[in-house]
Structures are given as C-alpha cells and as structure tokens.
Amino acid sequence: MAAGNYLPTAELTASGRPVLYPGEIESSLLSSVDLLSEENPNFPHLKSGLLILTNHRLLWLPNSTPVSSPTPVHIPLSAVSHIFSLKKSIKSVFSTPRIRFQVSVTSEGRVDEKGLRSIVIALVLRGKSDPEAFLGKFWEALKVRAWEEIKVGASGAEAGSSSGSRSGEGSLALRMPVVGVAGILRKEQEMWESTDKSLQDAFQDLNALMSKAKEMVMLAEKMRLKLLAGSNNQATGAAEDELGTKEEMQDWLLSVGIASPVTKESAGALYHQQLSRQLADFVRIPLERAGGTINLIDVYCLFNRARGTELISPDDLLQACSLWEKFDVPVMLRKFDSGVMVIQNKAHSDDEVFARIRSLVTKPDALQSGVSASDAAMTLGVAPAMAKEYLLTAEGKGLLCRDISPDGFRFYINLFQDINSDDVYL
C-alpha cells in the first residue's frame, strides 16, 4: 500500500532536503528509523529512513532516491494527540528502542488533525541515537504548538485588514481613500514604517535581536518572495523610484539568513550530510548571479553570513562540498591545477567559456597586445582571480600562449598549432 494514501507527502528540494514551512525549524535528526503502526496491518511499514523533527512536523525521508524508494512523508504535530513514555524494563535494554504516539486519522485511515478516530504509530530507532533526548524534544515541540502561532498570525492579519476596511467606512472624512498611484505609495509607506519599527525594536540590544531573529527572517523571506515575483503590475515608474531598485533589495534580503540552519546539536552524526544538502540549496541563487561559478572563499563568507550565529569552520565547508559526489545535486566542487577551488553548476561548460575567451583574444587589439586577467574578467563577468584560472586552463588546452613581462601575464591566441611542420620556413 502506498504511503501517500495514509500520510501527507513531504516536498523536497533539489538536494533532498525538506521544504520547510514559514517559521518551521528543525530540532532533531535521526537515521535508520522505521515508521509503522502496530495495530493497523494496512498501514505502510517504512523502513530505515531519515527522521526529522521540526516544531511543526515529523518528516520521514527515504535514504535512497531511486524510483522504487518510498515517498517522503510527514506527520503534522497538530495531528498528534498523545506521546507515550518509554517502557523501561530489563527486556527493553536488549531490544530496539521504540517511541509510540497517538495520531488522529480519518475514516479512511489517513493521518489528519481533523480525524474522528486515532491510531498508535511507532518509531523504531535502529541507528545510534538517544531515545530519551529525542522524546524530550518531541514533547517540547508538542507543548509549544508553534504551528498555532503561525495560524493565529495569519488569521490576525486577515482580521486586521477586514476590520480596517470596515472602520475605514466610518472615517472617510478623516482618512484619504487608498486609490490611484498616490494611494498605493501611501500603503507601501505604511508597510515600510511598520517594518522599520520592527527593525528598530529588534536592534535595541542583543537580547531583543536574538528573540526577534526568527521573526525578522520570516519577514525578509516574505518580502524576498514578493520581490522575486516581480513588480510588473505597477502602473508607473514613480513607484519603482520609491521602492528603490529591485536588485539591491534582493541582495539585502538574500543576506538576512537561513531560517533553520543545520547544526551539530540538531543533526548529530548526520551533520555534514545535511549541511552538504543545505549548502547545495543555498548556493543555487549565488551561482546564477555569478554566471555558474563562484569561489569557495566567497561561498564561505556568504553561507556563514546567512547562518547568523551558527557559524561553520572552513573544514566543515570543505567536507560538506566533498560529499556532493555521493548525492544527486546540481552543483559540484572543482579544483583548478593551481589549487584554487570553486563551486560550479554541473550544467556549466568550459567550452562555452573557452569560446568567449577565443573571441576576445582574436580581436585586433588583443592580437597585438594580448589580454590580461582583468580584460577576461570583464568579458566573462567573473572576478580577476577566477578569470586568470580560466586563462591558464585555456593555455593548458593549447588555446592560448602566455607572455610574462614586468606588466604581468598577457595571453595571446596560440598560432603554433596551426603551423605545418613541413612548411615551417614558408
């Protein structure tokens, strides 16, 4: 029986990481976990998967990604009605730990918070783990009920907008109607003033910043998604001038942070594996903006900036990148002959770069004076250090020749390979 018939399906990123809800944060990860129901024989028996506990859900992901592997699923914590304590006995010392909890299901047996009956689901922890620590985090997540805060915030925003529209009917003499371009600009100004107030409150002291960090990341993420959707519906260019350039705002919002960074505390032994997957998702946008290749040092700075206080070491970053060979992710770690390491898309082709370099060095000015790394950097849209690596690689392929002078390296088109050795004097 398909797992999707009984459990909601979980959405994954290109690297295999779960797509988290707004405000959702991971708290614990366990490997080699079975998920089953001991009282319902028709319930799917999911074997040896990755279990992720967040403040909203329990996610079960298969370890492998072939077509025949089970579907990634999740159990909303809102559907969990009770968590059973661990059975402590002499027999339990020598048996595989099991964590049991009760969930609401519909008449068809599908897990749902609005279900009219309940069943008991068991988690069989076959890997190395601390069942009591996981159970404590499970209890804590169920007690906090973070998913209700998101619902209350969304319903409160809707109620505020509706009540505001109703109250506005009785104060037409005191408040200008929100119509036309002026009304749109005034509404945007009110939104920015509210955002500015939240930022001022957050930056009053370090404690306030830490307490409101999650709220700021959620706010920035909503604004980023709105900007990425585009502002093509604006009628005039005046609104664009008020909001500033779209690209600058995107750069600011993308650097705010990752809502749920992978940590050693939450991931445990799976730290580098999950860090590798999260990094693969993170570098997607910087790679697109950098033309398909980005220096490893730049990635280290951008990633740590996005992680906030949960910084990683250079060794952790390098180990996370080296694990990409084992995963089906669209990025890879590349090392040039000089030792410079970069991250690039697998779809990125050096042939395209070499074609652009060839067109550059065959220009009349370049045939006489050659090209430098700075010239190539302007053409390729990359940093000069990266452009120099491409020029040296093109030289190794026989496309270019190098001239070393007091002014530095100059590269020329390689004409030696076109010379016929039989007619060398001609």
Side-chain angles (χ1 to χ4, degrees), residues 46-57:
L46 305 177
K47 297 182 178 180
S48 190
L50 173 66
L51 186 74
I52 302 178
L53 171 66
T54 73
N55 57 348
H56 287 213
R57 298 177 290 172

Side-chain angles (χ1 to χ4, degrees), residues 144-380:
V144 172
R145 308 184 75 82
W147 61 90
E148 292 184 351
E149 297 179 4
I150 301 299
K151 292 181 181 179
V152 170
S155 61
E158 295 175 359
S161 60
S162 60
S163 63
S165 61
R166 290 193 299 269
S167 62
E169 296 175 359
S171 58
L172 292 177
L174 301 176
R175 185 170 181 175
M176 295 177 59
V178 183
V179 295
V181 176
I184 296 175
L185 293 177
R186 183 163 62 83
K187 190 173 182 180
E188 293 288 345
Q189 181 65 26
E190 291 175 356
M191 183 190 72
W192 286 116
E193 289 177 356
S194 176
T195 303
D196 184 62
K197 185 177 183 303
S198 298
L199 290 172
Q200 289 179 359
D201 293 341
F203 282 94
Q204 282 182 357
D205 53 49
L206 185 59
N207 292 332
L209 175 62
M210 295 301 295
S211 64
K212 292 200 174 186
K214 184 173 69 174
E215 179 184 347
M216 291 298 102
V217 171
M218 290 173 58
L219 176 62
E221 180 66 17
K222 291 179 182 178
M223 295 167 62
R224 183 181 72 86
L225 292 175
K226 182 179 179 181
L227 285 174
L228 290 177
S231 56
N232 297 328
N233 296 330
Q234 295 182 0
T236 65
E240 291 288 347
D241 296 336
E242 290 291 334
L243 295 177
T245 61
K246 183 178 175 182
E247 290 77 10
E248 291 177 357
M249 187 60 66
Q250 286 182 8
D251 290 339
W252 177 72
L253 293 175
L254 287 172
S255 66
V256 170
I258 300 174
S260 180
V262 174
T263 63
K264 292 182 179 179
E265 180 182 1
S266 63
L270 302 173
Y271 171 65
H272 287 102
Q273 180 189 116
Q274 293 301 311
L275 182 68
S276 176
R277 294 182 183 275
Q278 189 173 68
L279 178 61
D281 292 330
F282 174 80
V283 298
R284 181 176 58 86
I285 295 179
L287 277 176
E288 291 177 357
R289 299 177 66 87
T293 305
I294 188 170
N295 195 298
L296 193 62
I297 298 176
D298 296 337
V299 172
Y300 176 75
C301 297
L302 291 172
F303 195 49
N304 264 336
R305 182 180 181 183
R307 288 175 63 89
T309 58
E310 302 293 344
L311 304 180
I312 64 171
S313 66
D315 291 338
D316 288 338
L317 180 72
L318 188 59
Q319 190 168 347
C321 294
S322 63
L323 290 175
W324 285 338
E325 298 177 356
K326 301 179 181 179
F327 305 140
D328 185 18
V329 294
V331 294
M332 60 179 288
L333 178 66
R334 177 181 179 181
K335 186 175 182 179
F336 287 99
D337 294 337
S338 62
V340 174
M341 288 184 288
V342 299
I343 294 175
Q344 70 177 37
N345 286 321
K346 287 184 177 179
H348 181 78
S349 174
D350 282 349
D351 295 336
E352 180 182 351
V353 177
F354 292 158
R356 296 170 66 182
I357 291 177
R358 185 179 183 86
S359 64
L360 174 64
V361 297
T362 51
K363 291 181 178 180
D365 294 341
L367 290 173
Q368 294 183 358
S369 58
V371 297
S372 64
S374 299
D375 299 330
M378 295 178 63
T379 301
L380 300 177

